[in-house]
Amino acid sequence: MDEVLRQALEPVQRDLRSPGIRLPRLADGWTGPSSNPDPDEAMVLAPEGLGATGIWVDRSAPEFERVAMIADQVQEIAIEGRWAPTNWPPCPHHRHPLIVSTRDRQAVWVCPAEEVLIAPIGGL
């Protein structure tokens, strides 16, 4: 896997590990019918062979934006694929999931109801 993509994915994987969510397997490139393998792209292979979804990162974006971009994609894949709880990562103040944001040049998890910063991505 491309180093830029791997670095953006690492904090998100730490946050998945914190509640004991089984990490999906990753495969290089995007195997969709209309796309060519690209080092900025990978496939997230759902646990137990229940499908695969592509993720990508914009190499020209600053690192904190790349982390936020990947976190947003992985959160959606994890919840829709049902290999993470529907409120992952859970807001400590409410029952809904946190949302991805950027603040002060850092990728963060935020409570959508109160717009309160909860943790940096990778720090849950």
Side-chain angles (χ1 to χ4, degrees):
M1 178 182 304
D2 177 68
E3 185 65 16
V4 172
L5 179 57
R6 189 195 63 71
Q7 287 176 356
L9 190 56
E10 173 52 35
V12 182
Q13 289 180 313
R14 280 196 309 269
D15 286 346
L16 282 166
R17 275 189 221 101
S18 70
I21 295 171
R22 190 169 135 200
L23 294 179
R25 290 182 307 126
L26 302 168
D28 286 338
W30 191 299
T31 58
S34 63
S35 48
N36 297 318
D38 187 301
D40 303 341
E41 301 171 342
M43 294 295 292
V44 176
L45 306 170
E48 302 176 23
L50 299 174
T53 306
I55 58 172
W56 65 279
V57 68
D58 180 353
R59 296 177 73 80
S60 67
E63 182 178 4
F64 72 97
E65 288 181 6
R66 293 191 302 256
V67 171
M69 181 183 302
I70 291 296
D72 193 46
Q73 293 173 69
V74 170
Q75 181 185 36
E76 182 177 343
I77 294 167
I79 291 171
E80 287 184 9
R82 296 187 195 147
W83 48 269
T86 57
N87 69 336
W88 181 82
C91 177
H93 307 294
H94 307 99
R95 299 185 75 177
H96 55 248
L98 299 173
I99 60 170
V100 175
S101 187
T102 57
R103 295 201 179 160
D104 299 321
R105 301 187 56 78
Q106 186 176 28
V108 296
W109 294 112
V110 172
C111 167
E114 299 174 1
E115 298 184 9
V116 175
L117 186 148
I118 301 300
I121 293 175
L124 291 178

